[in-house]
Structure formats: C-alpha cells, structure tokens
Amino acid sequence: MVKNDYIMRMISEMIRAVLTLLLGRDIVSKDEIVLPQISEDSDFQKLIAMVNEGRINEAENMLWDMTGDGRQEHFQIALLFYNYLNDLDDEVLEKADFSREEVADGLARIMKLYGYEDMARTFLL
C-alpha cells in the first residue's frame, strides 16, 4: 500500500511537471490538467471510455498506435491517459488485469519515446 502511494505520487508529480513545461504555466492541482483541444469525441475520450469499460490493456494498445506518429498532441493525450489510470483504485486496475507498476512503466516508455527519458528516470527510479 505504501509503495503504491509513493508510485502514485511520483507519477502524478512527473505528469504535472511535464505538462507545466509543455503548457508553459504552473499547474497547481490535478483539476487544472485539462487541455483545450480535447473534445467529447476525441481520441482521449475514446480511450477513457474503454478504460471505464474495463478494457485498459486495449486502450493502452490504441494509445501506443496513436503515439507512433510523434505528434505533441498525442504525447499530451498519453500523459492525461496515464494520469487518469493513476487516479484509479488498485482494485479497479487489478480487475482489468492491470497494475500500478504497469501505469508507471507505460508512462516511462512514453516519456522515452518523446525524449523525456531522463525526467522519467528522475521521478520513477
């Protein structure tokens, strides 16, 4: 439990730091982590709908297909996706055959893909 709390905090702080750098402003709370280009019919909303249906692995696969193009918008969606997963209870993750460590691992991989590997290493190791 303590280990998961620590992992959750580190994931949250790393996402906040990267979004602050990308958006050029300080994000004080997780409620402020909202990007203007995300509409109700966006890829992000589709991913979240899949997560809410318990299809986390499938949603993550879709996310990885999306991020292959290297677009900054998809990096932001990936950050918000992992932030959303990070906020889920452990029981919800486990029911979907996913773990807190997989959230951290996925986030570290996306950070590496977009050139932020050193930052991921700083927060997650």
Side-chain angles (χ1 to χ4, degrees):
M1 181 69 164
V2 173
K3 180 181 177 185
N4 278 346
D5 288 344
Y6 175 77
I7 292 170
M8 288 177 70
R9 247 189 342 273
M10 291 299 97
I11 290 170
S12 181
E13 287 301 313
M14 183 174 63
I15 291 170
R16 184 178 148 238
V18 174
L19 286 174
T20 299
L21 291 171
L22 289 175
L23 299 176
R25 63 183 173 94
D26 188 26
I27 298 171
V28 178
S29 72
K30 71 178 184 178
D31 296 333
E32 291 183 40
I33 302 177
V34 176
L35 300 174
Q37 71 268 23
I38 295 180
S39 63
E40 287 187 30
D41 62 342
S42 70
D43 289 331
F44 176 71
Q45 293 303 331
K46 291 174 190 170
L47 293 171
I48 296 309
M50 292 169 74
V51 168
N52 291 338
E53 293 168 358
R55 300 168 33 214
I56 297 175
N57 286 301
E58 189 179 335
E60 188 180 41
N61 290 342
M62 183 177 153
L63 175 74
W64 281 98
D65 289 343
M66 231 190 304
T67 56
D69 65 7
R71 290 178 42 202
Q72 196 70 11
E73 174 187 345
H74 290 152
F75 178 52
Q76 293 173 0
I77 288 172
L79 292 173
L80 293 175
F81 173 79
Y82 286 112
N83 188 65
Y84 187 84
L85 292 183
N86 190 49
D87 285 342
L88 296 175
D89 291 332
D90 289 335
E91 297 80 31
V92 173
L93 291 173
E94 289 171 15
K95 187 176 179 182
D97 196 28
F98 214 79
S99 70
R100 186 78 48 208
E101 288 78 16
E102 286 178 286
V103 175
D105 181 58
L107 182 57
R109 287 183 12 209
I110 203 75
M111 295 285 288
K112 181 179 180 179
L113 180 67
Y114 281 87
Y116 293 96
E117 182 176 11
D118 290 339
M119 184 180 280
R121 204 174 301 126
T122 299
F123 279 93
L124 298 177
L125 294 181

